[in-house]
Amino acid sequence: MVRSPGAARIGGLDETIFDEMSALAVRHDAVNLGQGFPDVDGPDEVVEAAVDALRSGRHNQYAPGGGIPSLRMAIAGHQRRFHGQEVDPDTEVLVTTGATEAVAAALLAMVDPGDEVVALDPYYDSYTAGIALAGGIRVPVTLPPPDFAFDVDRLVAAITPRTRLLLLNSPHNPTGIVLSRDDLAAIAEVVVEHDLLVVTDEVYEHLVYDDHEHVPIATLPGMAERTLTISSAGKTFALTGWKVGWAVGPPPLVKATRAVKQFLTYSSGAPLQPAIAGALDLPDSYFAGLSATMERRRDLLVDGLVGLGMEVTVPAGGYFVSGDIRPLGFDDGLAFCRMLPEQVGVAAIPHQVFWDDPATGRHLVRWSFAKRSSVLEAGLDRLAALAG
Ligand code: PMP
Ligand code: GLN
């Protein structure tokens, strides 16, 4: 018998739920409301800038490991413009292959085997994988359905002498909650008291709705020196396939993350980097227009799902709305999502794959509204078959 080739560390890792559901969507020609990617390209001028860079003959070899200087400067300018955060583009900014690489490199850089990593539960899938790769132990701070409210007492209860790091995500995938300034202040107090590091994934920083506000925890007192903030061009510029991301933080955290990142990819997307530098300098109206458009699409999808009889939690930010499928006569989201593309012609993502205890999210399904209104309407039309 051949020995299993997989290391024990990766024993639980398999094809991502996004690949599984997108493949089903393609096979059955379904409307894909599953994997979170927009169905239109980002701004023309950003795409043109990449084409120019490809043709210029100056951007087709390795970019520096930390990212090209103009992009690092643009990231620093973006943090100043939108968040009032001052970072040194040379020592406090790192360009990565999407937020995914930044998260993985940060966890590998900061977590030793046996260290506990506290994270909001449900977790985005790459966090569980990244913690496992680092040999860490994940400890949930559950956001209980149906409203997914954050409760700082749960955070306090999760901390032990072995806690090394708090991994945050706001706006949050999959729940759509946005941590308020008060939540963040309470978190900061706990983090400082226990002398923890914070890695915060803020890829949906520009996708915040109604009167909610995105506050980077790094801007709270005492947090800048212990926080690595991660974001990405994917969501902000509707260019998820470019995989240009970044991390900003104090020099020791950026240096450690960079040390690991060098040996994951070294660098990537050389001709895309100058284009994203330009994108980050787009006027405020671009960013405001993006959230306004997405808010309308959120409303369209929320109203449509409610109209079908689903109980939904209205998201304050991000790309996704979570719905309880029990009123439709189903109770297992995974089975439901495996059936849906073929039977109904729509793809979605089951919540249970994101939860520490899958039973907590069994009745929930995640739907993406990062699609044109006509596509959302087509998906809702097909879903009407479930209600009827
Ligand atoms: N973090 C969160 C919370 C996400 O939802 C995603 C993907 N949409 C990522 C990270 C991955 O970002 P990227 O595509 O830039 O690697
Ligand atoms: N972040 C995207 C989502 O949550 C998926 C990205 C991916 O497939 N890795 O849908």
Side-chain angles (χ1 to χ4, degrees), residues 9-343:
R9 233 174 30 260
I10 63 154
L13 304 183
D14 202 343
E15 178 188 41
T16 78
I17 194 71
F18 310 115
D19 273 341
E20 179 184 349
M21 294 302 158
S22 282
L24 284 179
V26 169
R27 185 173 325 142
H28 300 293
D29 200 19
V31 176
N32 192 348
L33 306 182
Q35 192 176 30
F37 61 89
D39 58 354
V40 288
D41 275 349
D44 284 346
E45 60 267 51
V46 179
V47 174
E48 286 308 321
V51 172
D52 290 346
L54 277 163
R55 293 225 164 98
S56 71
R58 289 184 291 113
H59 291 285
N60 291 317
Q61 311 309 331
Y62 295 126
I68 61 170
S70 66
L71 177 53
R72 285 188 276 108
M73 279 170 60
I75 292 164
H78 169 274
Q79 295 309 106
R80 184 181 313 115
R81 170 160 57 135
F82 290 102
H83 307 310
Q85 186 186 15
E86 292 296 333
V87 290
D88 176 345
D90 290 329
T91 58
E92 298 182 321
V93 178
L94 172 68
V95 175
T96 58
T97 306
T100 307
E101 186 191 44
V103 168
L107 291 169
L108 290 167
M110 296 176 205
V111 175
D112 273 319
D115 284 351
E116 290 176 1
V117 176
V118 173
L120 300 178
D121 168 41
Y123 331 85
Y124 178 58
D125 67 344
S126 89
Y127 307 164
T128 30
I131 294 168
L133 292 176
I137 298 165
R138 64 171 207 255
V139 179
V141 174
T142 300
L143 304 167
D147 57 1
F148 310 117
F150 171 76
D151 176 354
V152 73
D153 292 339
R154 289 178 185 265
L155 170 62
V156 172
I159 291 172
T160 77
R162 307 231 47 168
T163 309
R164 170 80 173 142
L165 183 152
L166 173 63
L167 177 54
L168 284 179
N169 170 218
S170 179
H172 184 259
N173 179 4
T175 66
I177 66 156
V178 174
L179 295 173
S180 69
R181 195 177 277 280
D182 287 349
D183 292 334
L184 294 166
I187 294 170
E189 201 176 309
V190 174
V191 161
V192 171
E193 184 190 331
H194 293 275
D195 194 21
L196 305 180
L197 299 172
V198 175
V199 173
T200 170
D201 175 346
E202 303 185 0
V203 298
Y204 299 103
E205 61 185 310
H206 290 288
L207 298 169
V208 176
Y209 314 123
D210 310 318
D211 51 1
H212 297 280
E213 165 194 30
H214 172 69
V215 180
I217 194 167
T219 60
L220 270 57
M223 293 307 294
E225 59 265 38
R226 59 177 73 245
T227 303
L228 190 78
T229 305
I230 291 171
S231 193
S232 159
K235 309 296 150 56
T236 300
F237 302 110
L239 295 165
T240 61
W242 286 21
K243 296 292 282 187
V244 178
W246 51 85
V248 306
L253 294 190
V254 167
K255 191 165 181 246
T257 306
R258 180 177 172 172
V260 173
K261 180 259 183 309
Q262 294 178 117
F263 301 109
L264 296 177
T265 56
Y266 179 57
S267 70
S268 62
L272 308 178
Q273 293 195 19
I276 296 299
L280 288 165
D281 286 340
L282 285 170
D284 291 356
S285 55
Y286 168 77
F287 298 87
L290 175 74
S291 57
T293 303
M294 288 295 293
E295 187 172 316
R296 282 195 298 277
R297 292 178 182 171
R298 176 202 63 172
D299 291 344
L300 198 168
L301 187 59
V302 165
D303 291 349
L305 294 177
V306 169
L308 295 173
M310 225 175 281
E311 277 164 23
V312 312
T313 311
V314 178
Y319 263 1
F320 311 108
V321 49
S322 300
D324 181 345
I325 54 173
R326 287 174 299 190
L328 301 178
F330 300 89
D331 64 0
D332 178 348
L334 186 57
F336 176 84
C337 289
R338 286 188 168 142
M339 164 284 287
L340 205 63
E342 183 174 6
Q343 302 288 320

